[in-house]
């Protein structure tokens, strides 16, 4: 295994860090409220950080999502890269790739993902009926990638036969309830393509990378706070209890990061990675919520302030804790895969 970024991956990561750092500051996030930031997303697309993912691979995307997580930037970057760009590039037909990828790369096509939709039924003529209670970033999307009851993937444009009802999540992810009433859709990759397992594993890996960034950002804020905040004439960071909590959070963050890197690297090199994606998802869920709780706790009373920057990391960490499966759910799925020798 070699997780050392290529020159292109490192340059893209550094560019993403500058853009997120410049355009996702505390005051700008406060102004966005629970909505997303279209200007920031446009800047990412203009800089080529969406289209570049096809060349940078999943490991490159994980590196970029870490930078988004550090700032909790409110853009549908993870969703459209995973459910749009990588899904279409990996499993779409040549015609779908030619038609959809340019729009995804320039931001005119934004894809949300509804991979847990057991109530959605697909008619033989390509119409979807049913509902999905929560789809993150759906209010920003032009298309949605839907898994029906048989785990077949369908790409549906939002419009005819679709209705959106805004839903507020723990994190401000511009979510909505999706209702489908004979909505026109096309199978991803054409009839008979089995892409669900790969797209779900890719999504779990990518969102684990996002969680690594959220945790790193939370911990960085906690370290800065405890180094400057004094109690009884000494910085809080000199207290052994504070040091131990921060050390545990650091190790948890590194565990999320390295398991996400391994799963992404294996996918990029063509190796089996289903169990590795589940491992990354488990760490992102279980360790992620520990880290953001620690980040908030080490801020003392300030951490409970809803307007404090660290509170956003707490909200994102708890949302990612359950996204695409809680720790207990993915652990059961991982055990079943191991038991069957997969």
């Amino acid at each position: 295994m070699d997780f050392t970024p290529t020159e292109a991956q490192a340059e893209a990561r550094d560019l993403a860090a500058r853009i997120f750092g410049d355009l996702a500051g505390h005051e700008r996030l406060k102004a966005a409220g629970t909505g997303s930031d279209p200007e920031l997303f446009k800047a990412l697309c203009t800089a080529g950080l969406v289209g570049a993912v096809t060349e940078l691979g999943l490991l490159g995307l994980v590196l970029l999502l870490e930078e988004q997580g550090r700032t909790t930037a409110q853009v549908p970057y993870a969703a459209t890269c995973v459910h749009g760009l990588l899904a279409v590039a990996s499993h779409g037909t040549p015609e779908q790739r030619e038609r959809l990828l340019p729009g995804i790369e320039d931001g005119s096509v934004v894809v949300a993902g509804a991979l847990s939709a057991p109530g959605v039924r697909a008619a033989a003529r390509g119409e979807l009926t049913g509902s999905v209670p929560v789809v993150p970033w759906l209010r920003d999307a032009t298309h949605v990638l839907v898994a029906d009851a048989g785990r077949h993937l369908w790409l549906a444009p939002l419009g005819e036969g679709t209705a959106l009802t805004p839903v507020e999540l723990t994190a401000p992810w511009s979510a909505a309830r999706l209702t489908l009433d004979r909505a026109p859709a096309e199978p991803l990759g054409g009839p008979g393509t089995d892409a669900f397992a790969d797209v779900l594993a890719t999504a779990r890996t990518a969102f684990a990378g996002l969680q690594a960034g959220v945790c790193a950002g939370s911990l960085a804020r906690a370290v800065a706070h405890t180094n400057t905040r004094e109690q009884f004439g000494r910085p809080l960071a000199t207290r052994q209890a504070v040091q131990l909590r921060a050390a545990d959070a650091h190790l948890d963050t590194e565990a999320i990061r390295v398991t996400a890197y391994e799963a992404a690297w294996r996918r990029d090199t063509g190796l089996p990675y289903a169990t590795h994606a589940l491992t990354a998802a488990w760490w992102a869920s279980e360790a992620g919520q520990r880290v953001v709780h620690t980040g908030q706790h080490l801020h003392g009373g300030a951490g409970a302030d809803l307007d404090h920057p660290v509170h956003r990391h707490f909200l994102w960490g708890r949302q990612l804790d359950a996204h695409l499966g809680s720790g207990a759910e993915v652990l059961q799925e991982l055990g079943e895969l191991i038991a069957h020798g997969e």
Side-chain angles (χ1 to χ4, degrees):
M1 293 179 291
D2 183 4
F3 304 150
T4 304
T6 65
E7 183 178 351
Q9 289 171 337
E11 290 177 353
R13 177 196 59 198
D14 294 344
L15 176 59
R18 290 197 297 272
I19 294 174
F20 284 125
D22 291 342
L23 300 180
H26 177 54
E27 295 303 320
R28 186 166 180 138
L29 288 170
K30 283 181 63 177
T34 59
S36 60
D37 189 335
E39 291 185 12
L40 172 54
F41 189 62
K42 181 179 180 180
L44 294 170
C45 295
T46 301
L49 291 178
V50 176
V53 172
T54 52
E55 298 296 329
L56 299 176
L58 183 54
L59 181 56
L61 177 59
V62 166
L63 293 171
L64 299 177
L65 291 179
E66 278 191 80
E67 301 307 323
Q68 180 185 0
R70 290 179 199 276
T71 59
T72 62
Q74 292 170 198
V75 286
Y77 186 59
T80 202
C81 283
V82 170
H83 303 116
L85 191 83
L86 289 180
V88 173
S90 299
H91 303 287
T93 64
E95 188 277 331
Q96 287 174 328
R97 293 195 294 270
E98 181 179 359
R99 170 165 47 89
L100 295 168
L101 288 180
I104 296 173
E105 292 172 1
D106 67 24
S108 60
V109 174
V110 178
V111 185
L115 301 185
S116 301
V120 173
R121 304 182 308 278
R125 57 183 178 275
E127 294 179 340
L128 303 180
T129 299
S131 64
V132 187
V134 177
V135 182
W137 306 113
L138 188 62
R139 282 181 270 163
D140 297 327
T142 60
H143 293 69
V144 59
L145 185 67
V146 181
D148 64 20
R151 292 193 166 190
H152 302 110
L153 292 179
W154 299 82
L155 194 61
L158 297 179
E160 181 185 353
T162 64
L164 278 59
T165 305
V167 173
E168 297 301 332
L169 302 180
T170 301
W173 286 1
S174 299
R177 175 185 177 89
L178 175 65
T179 302
L180 302 160
D181 183 11
R182 292 182 294 178
E186 58 182 313
L188 179 66
T193 301
D194 184 14
F196 177 83
D198 178 61
V199 172
L200 179 58
T202 298
R204 282 171 164 162
T205 304
F207 280 97
L210 185 63
Q211 181 75 300
V214 169
C215 291
S218 175
L219 184 56
R221 292 186 183 278
V223 169
H225 175 79
T226 56
N227 273 297
T228 56
R229 178 73 171 178
E230 292 190 357
Q231 187 180 64
F232 304 117
R234 294 170 55 192
L236 288 172
T238 63
R239 309 291 177 179
Q240 187 178 46
V242 172
Q243 295 171 0
L244 291 175
R245 286 293 301 275
D248 286 343
H250 172 72
L251 290 175
D252 273 338
T253 301
E254 288 303 300
I256 300 169
R257 176 181 289 116
V258 73
T259 52
Y261 283 6
E262 181 178 13
W265 175 82
R266 290 181 68 88
R267 182 188 189 274
D268 289 343
T269 54
L271 295 171
Y273 75 109
T275 56
H276 301 79
L278 286 167
T279 301
W282 183 85
W283 276 104
S285 177
E286 294 292 310
Q289 57 90 13
R290 288 198 298 265
V291 174
V292 296
H293 273 269
T294 294
Q296 190 175 47
H297 187 197
L298 291 180
H299 278 78
D305 183 354
L306 300 183
D307 290 328
H308 196 285
V310 80
H311 192 70
R312 278 194 297 271
H313 291 270
F314 175 77
L315 296 178
W316 276 63
R318 290 314 309 258
Q319 186 68 55
L320 286 164
D321 169 16
H323 187 56
L324 298 177
S326 67
E329 291 172 326
V330 297
L331 188 61
Q332 178 179 348
E333 189 175 340
L334 176 59
E336 291 172 351
L337 281 180
I338 294 173
H340 289 90
E342 298 183 23

